Amino acid sequence: MTVNTRVLINDFTYHVPSTLAEALGFLDQYGEDAAVLAGGTDLIIQMKLGRRSPKFLVDVSKLEELKHLEAGEKILIGAGRRYMDVLPFLQGLGRYHGLAEAIDSIGKLQVLSVATVGGNLGNGSPAADTPPPLMTYDASVRVRSAHQERVVPLREFHTGPGAIVLAPNEIIVAVEFDAFPDGRASAFRKLTRVASDISKVTCAVAVERAGETCTHCRIALGAVGPTPLRARSAEAALEGREVDASAVEECARLIVEEISPIDDIRCSEKYRREAAGVLFRDAFASAWERAKC
Amino acid sequence: MLTSCTNAIILTVNGDEHMLVVEPNELLINVLRNELGLTGSKYGCGTGQCGACTVLIDGEPALACVTLAVACDGKEIVTIEGIARPDGGLHPIQEEFLGENAVQCGFCTPGMILMAGDLLKRNPHPTEPEIRHHIKGNICRCTGYNGIVRAIQHAAARMAEPAAADGPDLVKEAR
Ligand SMILES: Cc1cc2nc3c(=O)[nH]c(=O)nc-3n(C[C@H](O)[C@H](O)[C@H](O)COP(=O)(O)OP(=O)(O)OC[C@H]3O[C@@H](n4cnc5c(N)ncnc54)[C@H](O)[C@@H]3O)c2cc1C
Ligand code: FES
Ligand code: FES
């Protein structure tokens, strides 16, 4: 069937609840037939392409419960906050460069003005830009249903390409992580085909240093496996070690071995492996330098 | 036919309020073009790639091809038709696009001009990299970007002159 992206052919009922309880009630009632609509920059396109055809759309854009932005012992970002609000919030805090760089890299301003972090997680794409930096922050996803609230570590959130642990009656409320201790810093790098396109490879790094010794290290990558992933052997190789050129090279080599990229329309598996090493070196150098002060 | 599935919405488009009855699956771009006859916003890719369908929603640039009309209930939309002066005279950005021959087929032009206006509202004195960053999500397949960038530079210079202060203001219109 040829796809006509100028119309939405499937019929659905649209709900725009004003409270989270009401939204959760709809999801409980409709189950698999419902989809949550935030900015729509993924969902509407998937519906146009015939990949999804929900019978009910529950628009969460009016829910104040999804709009918290808090900076205390924990940094909490409401799932329904648009990138254009989250970015200045992070920039104002000044420390969370990796996540800020990931959001800033979403090239299209027309997308930043409507799209949300909740949608980026809810879409479950292995190439999504915010999960790798959030993973380097050991972030958790706060999830609600009509019956319970649970907090899922982000590293357990993605289960496969486009697949996440969310049940059909659950809504992502927020993503949260511990505020950085002094001396921790992060960075994010990505490669794309053109300025505003989905990533070919991404790499995020968070480090802490005592002089030239790396005392804490997190490395996460996107678009190089079925889910966004942590490079654990590489992290272990750096943590507690004096950082010099050979340590960074060994780490890059471990990353290239640890990832499992595929060939697709954007680039080849071989290219992705090479590029992952390059992006890591770059992201690491930037985070390491930032951690100095 | 009115079914239980249709929704009554109010859209303020370029300052005019419209009461409309829409199906939930109607896209904002189609309502603007087909119901309201505002064909300035162009329908290109339909998948968020090209930026031809750019409009301002509550003052922020957005893609009308991935926006449900029903989700815009109560919102203010500005399209390229809302940019010209009330007497039909062109906005300085439009004049500079003409002056620089930054228009060939014109398909990208409404989106480019709205993004240029959005940029100059936030940053009246943009550098060339800032201009290119702001129109990154808008694809032109014929003129090339150099003329477009020059047009925006000239418009910025003109709009910064004190005399331009009484010209139409994208900021005010967007609010
Ligand atoms: C031109 C263009 C460029 C893009 N560039 C990038 C890019 O550079 N990097 C990138 O990562 N992405 C990019 N994207 C993809 C997309 O914009 C992002 O993934 C965005 O974060 C999605 O957010 P949204 O609010 O629009 O989500 P929606 O499309 O509304 O939702 C996406 C999915 O998440 C679910 N969902 C949304 N909110 C919740 C919630 N609170 N609880 C549970 N489920 C929820 C929805 O049901 C749906 O399955 C781009 C898209 C376009 C069109
Ligand atoms: S038509 Fe909307 S982005 Fe191309
Ligand atoms: S003038 Fe033809 S696409 Fe830009």
Side-chain angles (χ1 to χ4, degrees):
Chain A
M1 194 184 84
T2 48
V3 174
N4 178 356
T5 57
R6 296 178 166 227
V7 286
L8 268 176
I9 49 171
N10 70 301
D11 284 318
F12 52 83
T13 302
Y14 170 85
H15 292 291
V16 55
S18 50
T19 65
L20 179 59
E22 204 186 330
L24 292 170
F26 285 129
L27 293 187
D28 224 31
Q29 185 183 345
Y30 302 137
E32 303 268 356
D33 289 337
V36 169
L37 174 71
T41 58
D42 279 318
L43 181 62
I44 299 293
I45 295 172
Q46 286 172 5
M47 288 168 65
K48 284 186 173 184
L49 299 177
R51 293 185 192 146
R52 295 188 66 180
S53 42
K55 296 196 178 73
F56 301 91
L57 280 194
V58 180
D59 184 340
V60 296
S61 64
K62 299 271 193 297
L63 304 183
E64 290 304 320
E65 296 95 326
L66 268 48
K67 299 211 173 140
H68 295 284
L69 280 180
E70 289 167 21
E73 280 173 17
K74 279 191 184 296
I75 310 298
L76 183 140
I77 299 169
R81 273 291 184 160
R82 302 177 297 178
Y83 287 131
M84 65 167 214
D85 303 326
V86 179
L87 187 56
F89 167 73
L90 290 169
Q91 287 166 339
L93 297 176
R95 318 186 72 167
Y96 306 98
H97 294 96
L99 183 58
E101 285 167 345
I103 293 177
D104 203 24
S105 79
I106 298 176
K108 213 179 199 104
L109 300 161
Q110 297 97 315
V111 170
L112 289 179
S113 65
V114 296
T116 62
V117 177
N120 206 226
L121 298 175
N123 198 38
S125 164
D129 283 331
T130 64
L134 285 168
M135 281 176 154
T136 67
Y137 299 174
D138 293 324
S140 298
V141 187
R142 199 165 272 277
V143 167
R144 278 283 296 273
S145 74
H147 315 287
Q148 64 161 354
E149 174 168 286
R150 57 186 184 124
V151 178
V152 185
L154 183 59
R155 60 175 186 276
E156 294 165 14
F157 188 79
H158 296 81
T159 55
I164 52 175
V165 296
L166 215 65
N169 68 344
E170 286 180 317
I171 286 180
I172 304 164
V173 176
V175 58
E176 61 186 29
F177 50 89
D178 289 342
F180 277 12
D182 285 339
R184 188 174 298 179
S186 64
F188 171 85
R189 289 291 185 277
K190 90 175 182 189
L191 261 184
T192 56
R193 194 173 45 95
V194 291
S196 90
D197 189 29
I198 305 299
S199 303
K200 289 174 164 184
V201 183
T202 63
C203 182
V205 172
V207 288
E208 229 172 283
R209 62 191 280 181
E212 293 308 307
T213 304
C214 176
T215 52
H216 171 94
C217 177
R218 293 281 182 275
I219 303 165
L221 297 105
V224 293
T227 64
L229 51 87
R230 287 258 304 273
R232 288 178 190 270
S233 57
E235 290 173 359
L238 266 185
E239 225 167 54
R241 185 163 162 191
E242 191 148 320
V243 171
D244 54 18
S246 74
V248 175
E249 275 323 300
E250 185 192 334
C251 206
R253 189 181 52 75
L254 288 169
I255 288 172
V256 172
E257 282 171 12
E258 196 165 349
I259 58 179
S260 52
I262 54 165
D263 289 326
D264 70 7
I265 51 163
R266 288 194 172 76
C267 56
S268 67
E269 180 243 319
K270 190 161 178 286
Y271 179 91
R272 283 198 162 94
R273 277 191 203 277
E274 288 284 323
V278 174
L279 290 191
F280 163 71
R281 286 186 202 99
D282 210 12
F284 182 83
S286 170
W288 189 245
E289 185 57 31
R290 283 173 179 156
K292 213 177 201 166
C293 16
Chain B
M1 191 183 69
L2 274 177
T3 68
S4 61
C5 263
T6 55
N7 300 58
I9 61 166
I10 295 178
L11 290 187
T12 304
V13 184
N14 303 328
D16 296 330
E17 206 174 275
H18 300 270
M19 285 222 2
L20 297 161
V21 174
V22 296
E23 301 284 340
N25 64 3
E26 275 185 83
L27 297 158
L28 179 61
I29 181 83
N30 288 335
V31 169
L32 292 172
R33 291 178 54 87
N34 304 342
E35 316 257 324
L36 301 180
L38 297 170
T39 54
S41 310
K42 298 298 178 238
Y43 211 157
C45 62
T47 55
Q49 305 300 310
C50 73
C53 64
T54 300
V55 297
L56 304 181
I57 303 180
D58 284 347
E60 300 295 341
L63 302 172
C65 75
V66 294
T67 305
L68 298 179
V70 64
C72 295
D73 186 21
K75 296 194 174 168
E76 296 205 12
I77 318 285
V78 175
T79 69
I80 188 67
E81 288 89 345
I83 295 307
R85 296 168 206 270
D87 66 4
L90 296 181
H91 187 280
I93 302 174
Q94 293 174 309
E95 287 175 351
E96 295 303 331
F97 266 66
L98 284 177
E100 275 302 322
N101 285 322
V103 179
Q104 193 168 320
C105 78
F107 211 76
C108 68
T109 313
M112 290 286 185
I113 289 177
L114 284 168
M115 289 312 285
D118 180 66
L119 170 64
L120 299 182
K121 166 179 91 181
R122 291 164 208 268
N123 177 0
H125 305 288
T127 61
E128 181 175 337
E130 284 168 343
I131 294 175
R132 289 186 185 269
H133 175 77
H134 215 82
I135 58 171
K136 205 150 89 170
N138 293 65
I139 295 174
C140 176
R141 279 293 90 125
C142 38
T143 314
Y145 298 93
N146 290 342
I148 294 173
V149 170
R150 274 198 306 276
I152 298 173
Q153 285 170 325
H154 292 174
R158 252 180 77 186
M159 288 163 68
E161 291 165 14
D166 28 78
D169 180 359
L170 284 178
V171 188
K172 262 185 270 158
E173 283 164 23
R175 286 289 131 90

